[in-house]
């Protein structure tokens, strides 16, 4: 099937719309996407070998400083 993902779909609960939008925008600014950033963060969090924190774009406050 063309629309069948190879991985199981997993939802994240408790994320308000503003955070979801800000996260999407930040991931795109960093040249990435929400899924990739989330995987990288989880791999770092559980201590997988070679895992680093994902690159984070500068906030609007950091840009104006």
């Amino acid at each position: 099937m063309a629309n069948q993902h190879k991985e199981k779909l997993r939802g994240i609960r408790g994320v308000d719309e503003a955070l979801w939008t800000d996260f999407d925008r930040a991931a795109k600014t960093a040249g990435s996407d929400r899924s990739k950033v989330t995987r990288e963060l989880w791999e770092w969090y559980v201590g997988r070998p070679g895992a680093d924190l994902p690159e984070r774009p500068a906030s609007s406050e950091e840009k104006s400083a």
Side-chain angles (χ1 to χ4, degrees):
M1 297 174 107
N3 281 340
Q4 194 77 9
H5 291 282
K6 64 180 182 177
E7 284 94 15
K8 185 178 180 180
L9 181 63
R10 295 170 179 9
I12 298 177
R13 296 184 187 136
V15 178
D16 64 56
E17 195 63 31
L19 179 56
W20 190 261
T21 302
D22 291 346
F23 182 42
D24 188 53
R25 187 178 304 116
K28 287 177 180 172
T29 299
S32 192
D33 60 65
R34 291 185 313 259
S35 293
K36 185 172 188 286
V37 172
T38 302
R39 279 190 306 275
E40 289 174 346
L41 179 61
W42 289 10
E43 288 172 352
W44 169 82
Y45 192 83
V46 301
R48 289 220 171 140
D52 293 315
L53 278 172
E55 187 71 28
R56 187 184 75 180
S59 68
S60 56
E61 292 82 22
E62 292 170 331
K63 289 177 187 174
S64 63

